Amino acid sequence: MSTIYESLGTQSASFIRGTHRLLIGGHWVDAQSGKTFDVFDPGTGEVVARVAEGDAVDVDLAVRAARRAFETGDWAKMKPADRTRVMFRLADLIEQHGDELAEIEAVDNGKPLAVAKRGIAGTAEMLRYMAGWATKLNGESVNVSVPGEWHAYTTREPVGVVGQIIPWNFPLSMAIWKIAPALATGCTVVLKPAEQTPLNALRLGQIIQEAGIPDGVVNVVTGFGAMAGAALAAHPDVDKIAFTGSTETGKRIVQAALGNLKKVSLELGGKSPVFVFPDADLDLATTGAANAIFFNSGQVCSAGSRLFVHRKVFDRVIEGVVEHGDTLKVGHGLAPGSQIGPLISSQQMQRVSAYIRQGEEEGARRMNRQSAPDNGGYFVRPTVFIDTSTSMSIYREEIFGPVVCAMPFDDEDLEAIAAEANNSEFGLFAGIWTQNLGVAHKLARRIKAGSVSVNAHMVNEPALPFGGYKQSGWGRERGREVLDLYTSVKSIAINLD
Ligand code: ADP
């Protein structure tokens, strides 16, 4: 084993080394098949844990447990204020275990420890924000026009058993983004973490038990997408499936959900534009544009992977972004001073490297030449391309790595600029850097994307809805809007005559 693990605290080290079973109905159980699979540290390529390999049989047991908990358990019937209290307790526990969770994330996902620690605070805030909604899920009284005297009103009821399939880029916070609105609304959950990063979902399962959330309300089934994930998406007794991941897999989820027409929400890919106008604070914009694509090694659905810079300031901004990328310390998540970590897997490293080669073959100019650490980890250094064109695959496709395509723009014709931003099958996010409020508002209006940030890149704010136009997804997570995904509205009309 690499010596890097000597810096782990005793709790995270013993958790990672421990036995990892499935959480079903409040019990930690082996997969029925007895199978397990390896978990790799992407920073070293070493196997760090073995985890139960759940399949359709285990998913079925978990769905049954979630159904029992929903229909007969205390959670959905619990007073909303009590649900809030339990969720607050969970948020407090996540913060108390913050260092440990961050260390597990650094080993499992590869992100730098400091970044993982910052993520913990956001995760706890998401839980607290959603916890607050539990007491505010009201219907309304409705004025009806049919003859007679009526009392008509609506109620909001939990949608039921929810399957949640999450990706590997932010293992803990993606789990909480999914679980929090389900808990607030009184649903029960079967969570399927990504096979690359199952550890923190399992540790979270333990903390959920410690917080006093009743058995069966949250079940965790680790396993592969094509087996456990597909079984959950297709299960006839799952009322809703919530998915975050690639657009390709999202389409499979939709197909699988057809059988019982379960509700589906999808948070999928992106190819998000960032615009830098010449009047922007160029230092901030340059750092912002660099962070937009290099943060988390570009493994972010809302990464700013298409950078449009006004020709007047193009050279200056691009030089700055290249330099920013070149000076970032790329290294193992636990190594002191690491600023960006590895990609998640050897497969992902090969995929991103293939895009970089293809970009060069197609005639784009690659501005960075530094090489990545060579220690067995899955590292790819920040990469900026100029001389790109709209037909190139690096420009059109989601790379999910630290690779940005830069393009100059010449005029202030906002219709033309927005048309270029919208020239994509995705529509998740856009960033605009300008001091001109008129330009900012007008462009924000014209962009077909679920979120727009001005003079910032992505605000990690639980109150702001997040989700995609076009093939970036269905529905909105975060904010009040997510509650619509986890509740059904019932209208009740009483004839008073
Ligand atoms: P990637 O290809 O980068 O791993 P995915 O979108 O395939 O991204 O993975 C996101 C999540 O979807 C993971 O939890 C994965 O296990 C799951 N998944 C993959 N394939 C399927 C599938 N066919 N049905 C359901 N879930 C799947």
Side-chain angles (χ1 to χ4, degrees), residues 170-229:
F170 296 94
L172 183 67
S173 56
M174 285 298 100
I176 292 295
W177 276 38
K178 289 278 182 284
I179 288 172
L183 292 179
T185 50
C187 295
T188 60
V189 168
V190 177
L191 177 74
K192 212 286 295 162
E195 51 270 42
Q196 296 86 348
T197 54
L199 296 181
N200 254 344
L202 295 170
R203 184 68 187 102
L204 179 63
Q206 296 175 341
I207 297 173
I208 280 172
Q209 291 185 307
E210 193 182 339
I213 292 176
D215 290 351
V217 172
V218 178
N219 305 274
V220 183
V221 178
T222 49
F224 291 96
M227 304 288 286

Side-chain angles (χ1 to χ4, degrees), residues 174-468:
M174 285 298 100
I176 292 295
W177 276 38
K178 289 278 182 284
I179 288 172
L183 292 179
T185 50
C187 295
T188 60
V189 168
V190 177
L191 177 74
K192 212 286 295 162
E195 51 270 42
Q196 296 86 348
T197 54
L199 296 181
N200 254 344
L202 295 170
R203 184 68 187 102
L204 179 63
Q206 296 175 341
I207 297 173
I208 280 172
Q209 291 185 307
E210 193 182 339
I213 292 176
D215 290 351
V217 172
V218 178
N219 305 274
V220 183
V221 178
T222 49
F224 291 96
M227 304 288 286
L232 189 55
H235 200 289
D237 201 32
V238 169
D239 298 302
K240 172 198 162 48
I241 192 97
F243 171 75
T244 298
S246 62
T247 294
E248 199 187 336
T249 302
K251 290 178 182 177
R252 287 201 194 103
I253 302 273
V254 171
Q255 295 284 350
L258 280 178
N260 71 334
L261 282 183
K262 56 175 67 65
K263 313 281 176 278
V264 179
S265 56
L266 305 169
E267 204 267 273
L268 307 175
K271 193 74 186 176
S272 299
V274 171
F275 294 95
V276 180
F277 285 84
D279 68 335
D281 177 325
L282 292 181
D283 290 337
L284 282 183
T286 302
T287 310
N291 285 332
I293 185 66
F294 302 143
F295 172 65
N296 213 40
S297 303
Q299 302 171 119
V300 184
C301 49
S302 54
S305 49
R306 291 184 296 154
L307 174 57
F308 298 94
V309 184
H310 195 282
R311 199 175 292 278
K312 275 192 217 152
V313 294
F314 185 81
D315 289 347
R316 172 177 165 185
V317 171
I318 298 308
E319 264 167 40
V321 173
V322 170
E323 193 188 326
H324 188 109
D326 282 346
T327 49
L328 279 174
K329 189 158 182 255
V330 178
H332 192 281
L334 295 173
S338 279
Q339 290 170 299
I340 61 173
L343 299 190
I344 193 64
S345 61
S346 121
Q347 190 192 15
Q348 201 59 19
M349 178 177 70
Q350 283 161 19
R351 195 174 155 269
V352 173
S353 306
Y355 270 115
I356 294 173
R357 275 196 307 278
Q358 201 175 347
E360 290 188 289
E361 281 160 22
E362 287 179 341
R365 186 140 59 99
R366 179 179 166 189
M367 303 297 284
N368 317 63
R369 289 285 159 198
Q370 295 198 0
S371 48
D374 183 16
N375 68 341
Y378 314 132
F379 295 97
V380 173
R381 280 213 64 97
T383 304
V384 179
F385 276 113
I386 62 168
D387 298 342
T388 56
S389 79
T390 55
S391 60
M392 292 177 179
S393 51
I394 52 167
Y395 179 90
R396 306 210 67 79
E397 294 168 25
E398 184 178 43
I399 297 176
F400 228 61
V403 182
V404 62
C405 292
M407 275 208 172
F409 63 92
D410 279 309
D411 54 32
E412 310 287 336
D413 175 0
L414 292 182
E415 297 298 342
I417 292 170
E420 196 41 60
N422 296 333
N423 176 17
S424 169
E425 67 195 35
F426 300 110
L428 192 58
F429 175 81
I432 303 170
W433 296 84
T434 179
Q435 309 268 15
N436 183 327
L437 270 182
V439 167
H441 281 295
K442 284 183 184 172
L443 189 54
R445 246 182 222 174
R446 283 162 175 74
I447 284 172
K448 292 186 169 61
S451 304
V452 177
S453 289
V454 177
N455 296 333
H457 189 85
M458 277 298 295
V459 195
N460 190 12
E461 163 60 54
L464 281 171
F466 181 75

Side-chain angles (χ1 to χ4, degrees), residues 98-111:
D99 286 350
E100 180 195 348
L101 290 163
E103 285 177 0
I104 295 170
E105 196 104 331
V107 173
D108 199 18
N109 161 277
K111 52 172 67 39

